[in-house]
Amino acid sequence: MTEAARLNLNDGWTATCEEAEIAVPLAVPGDIHSALLAAGKIEDPYWRDNETRTDWVHRSVWTARRSFDLEHLQDGYFTLRFDSVDCLAEVFVNGRRAGRCESQFLRYDFDVTTLLNEGGNVIEVVFHSNSLEAEKRARQSEFPMPYTANSRIGHLNFLRKAQCHGGWDWGIALCPLGFYGDITLVRTGHLRLDDVAIRQRHTEGAVELDVTLHAFAFAPAVEEAAVAIDGHEERATLRAYPGENRVRVTVKMDHPRLWWPAGQGEQAFYDLAVSLGGQKREFRIGLRDVELLTDADAIGNRFAFRVNGREIFMKGANWIPGDALPERASKEQVRDLLVSAVEANMNMIRIWGGGQYEADWFYELCDELGLMIWHDFMFACNLYPAHERPFLELVRKEARQQLRRLSRFAAMALWCGDNELVGALTWYRESLENRDRYLAIYDRLNHVLEEAVEDEDLGLPFRPSSPSVGRLDFGDGWHVDTSGDMHFWDVWHSAKDFEHYRSVRPRFCSEFGFQSFPSMRVIESFTEALDRNVSSAVMDVHQRNEGGNSRIVETIARYFRFPDSFEDMVYLSQLSQGLAMKTAIEFWRSNRPRTMGTLFWQLNDTWPVASWSSLEYGGG
């Protein structure tokens, strides 16, 4: 390894569980469940009612190991970097503790300079049970923190982990664990470049890029930072002291080619090169200006996106993780889903707060396709322990790291604090009996996110929650169609006629949906012939919304002659779903400019299931 070099450590990992006497190869990125499945140690959890047979996996302790050789340790500092670890793990290098991981949503950088050997080295990562630790933290909490009834595996609101890993009203509950990003050994001098944050400031005919380089200093250092784009280069000097440091370099470009959302113009890109202390980063960035218009009007307050000075009606859907088994959510599989969205004339997706921040390549795909992103922070439908300082500290680090990482992507349009947390205050007995306490706890969480957005100052709009009437408004945003964004679920959850969509005229509808069964091709992939009945036990396992199958059947009877066969039932359920979405979207689009966006629930599925998705599991 040379100065400022990286050694990729993704290959050669083995996962062992001493209790189960199992050892299997572990892919990186990858998860333990997928490794066991590939080795024939578990049956497919998606098949019939197999789900609960894998519960022992998330309740066990697993150790991931790999060895590697290293030479020339005399010079430089060595950092062991994990892009994403899910989620509670202790890291050992040559038998000595390097650190602990507490969050799926944080990159972890461990200084291992003094732990390495010349020659052979061994890394061990001990994964503790996410689910058992969540139960323990819930018992120890000063106040009860209820979680959504959708979650079969409970209390994940105490962990910084994808909340839908415990199950949802469309999702299997596997509670996976593993490595979801690269593992690298980074060698640097006194200074380590950690994050590059980019803010675009657009004026008439020009753009200024404020590029902030965040670096960690092992010792005092003086280094030059450089930023180059399209023939323009600027420099600045960083005088660093031990700990975290930052330096900003500003580059101005006249008459830039602009990046536009799909259907509005080309997706133009520039190559941006950044360097600091012998460490280089290269990015492909699009230049665009994004505003969220919320000014008052005769109706209430607007909710409209303006891109490059043009107001654009946002057409799209909500995104959940690509697969319940993280290893299966490959770049090729995800690209197929996103291309399908653009081919259906979408220009925005909402990354929902019960899922995860995606890998860099996901956002690169959205940039390439012109698919703008409404991005929730990762909180959904639960109460969260923001009364506990360690939890809030994790959230602070997560928010700032993700804001910096994703600032370079042109597709990013909005940061939103959470999904439905204000509504959740009315869902649980504890918060209904003491709203003041739980509202104060929520405000602590929400303020940390707002503060991070303001302090990082990266130029994107922030909304406190979805649905929300506006900042510091903790009222019922669910049924207000005069201001803010709206989640409109009356048609599905109250089994009302499709025509009921025409009873509201939202400023922006960020969630609404109607269920269908997946196709027979998908149903045949998880059933035996005897299961293919609407009321069978296996079909119930693959329907996570209580009463969902009967609601689908009731709707078919309302709009069609009752089908003679299960196959016809499946087909008509999909026609019903299409008619529901057609009714809502056409009416709300006809209300432009009062309504300026429709993002239906949901684009994709994480496993084969009856749900609100327009693209079933497998992408059909």
Side-chain angles (χ1 to χ4, degrees), residues 173-195:
L174 297 178
C175 209
L177 60 160
F179 302 117
Y180 303 159
D182 289 337
I183 303 172
T184 50
L185 186 66
V186 183
R187 177 181 178 172
T188 63
H190 293 318
L191 209 59
R192 182 187 71 216
L193 178 58
D194 286 342
D195 296 299

Side-chain angles (χ1 to χ4, degrees), residues 154-167:
H155 306 296
L156 294 193
N157 49 335
F158 281 86
L159 303 181
R160 294 312 297 141
K161 169 181 179 57
Q163 299 294 275
C164 65
H165 283 174

Side-chain angles (χ1 to χ4, degrees), residues 444-513:
R444 287 187 178 191
L445 173 64
N446 197 252
H447 182 251
V448 161
L449 300 173
E450 182 182 49
E451 194 178 61
V453 172
E454 290 177 352
D455 289 352
E456 295 300 319
D457 192 24
L458 295 169
L460 283 183
F462 172 75
R463 291 291 287 183
S465 181
S466 182
S468 173
V469 176
R471 184 171 186 261
L472 296 179
D473 190 314
F474 304 108
D476 183 13
W478 291 73
H479 300 98
V480 175
D481 68 352
T482 57
S483 299
D485 71 311
M486 192 176 196
H487 292 188
F488 191 69
W489 281 105
D490 282 6
V491 173
W492 170 255
H493 287 300
S494 301
K496 294 186 177 180
D497 292 345
F498 297 161
E499 289 73 18
H500 187 66
Y501 282 119
R502 299 190 178 105
S503 68
V504 295
R505 299 165 67 198
R507 309 314 300 262
F508 194 108
C509 200
S510 48
E511 269 195 33
F512 60 102

Side-chain angles (χ1 to χ4, degrees), residues 170 318-323 350 352 355 358 601-602 604-606:
W170 38 260
N318 285 253
W319 173 266
I320 60 177
D323 203 291
R350 173 180 175 232
W352 167 74
E358 300 288 348
W601 187 270
Q602 73 228 48
N604 57 309
D605 272 326
T606 64

Side-chain angles (χ1 to χ4, degrees), residues 69-85:
D69 292 328
L70 203 59
E71 298 178 353
H72 310 302
L73 294 181
Q74 301 90 336
D75 301 316
Y77 295 86
F78 291 84
T79 299
L80 182 58
R81 174 168 288 174
F82 295 88
D83 283 352
S84 177
V85 177

Side-chain angles (χ1 to χ4, degrees), residues 61-233:
V61 175
W62 293 86
T63 301
R65 290 186 183 87
R66 72 149 288 168
S67 58
F68 64 98
D69 292 328
L70 203 59
E71 298 178 353
H72 310 302
L73 294 181
Q74 301 90 336
D75 301 316
Y77 295 86
F78 291 84
T79 299
L80 182 58
R81 174 168 288 174
F82 295 88
D83 283 352
S84 177
V85 177
D86 187 9
C87 79
L88 303 173
E90 291 185 273
V91 179
F92 298 88
V93 176
N94 297 322
R96 291 187 287 171
R97 191 175 185 275
R100 179 177 173 87
C101 302
E102 285 275 351
S103 171
Q104 177 189 338
F105 306 137
L106 273 177
R107 181 195 69 243
Y108 280 92
D109 296 315
F110 299 118
D111 179 7
V112 295
T113 307
T114 62
L115 305 182
L116 294 170
N117 297 327
E118 188 90 25
N121 293 269
V122 177
I123 303 173
E124 292 181 307
V125 180
V126 180
F127 289 93
H128 299 287
S129 168
N130 294 332
S131 54
L132 292 182
E133 178 64 19
E135 293 171 11
K136 176 183 173 183
R137 293 183 184 186
R139 288 193 302 270
Q140 294 175 342
S141 176
E142 182 179 1
F143 308 116
M145 287 288 142
Y147 59 91
T148 175
N150 296 329
S151 299
R152 182 178 68 82
I153 300 171
H155 306 296
L156 294 193
N157 49 335
F158 281 86
L159 303 181
R160 294 312 297 141
K161 169 181 179 57
Q163 299 294 275
C164 65
H165 283 174
W168 218 260
D169 56 4
W170 38 260
I172 191 172
L174 297 178
C175 209
L177 60 160
F179 302 117
Y180 303 159
D182 289 337
I183 303 172
T184 50
L185 186 66
V186 183
R187 177 181 178 172
T188 63
H190 293 318
L191 209 59
R192 182 187 71 216
L193 178 58
D194 286 342
D195 296 299
V196 177
I198 302 171
R199 171 166 187 168
Q200 302 185 20
R201 292 186 287 120
H202 289 255
T203 56
E204 189 67 36
V207 60
E208 287 186 330
L209 297 181
D210 293 332
V211 182
T212 303
L213 289 72
H214 296 265
F216 182 85
F218 297 96
V222 178
E223 296 286 359
E224 189 172 62
V227 174
I229 183 171
D230 196 38
H232 303 273
E233 183 171 353

Side-chain angles (χ1 to χ4, degrees), residues 52 108 236 327 391:
T52 56
Y108 280 92
E327 189 174 319
F391 183 86

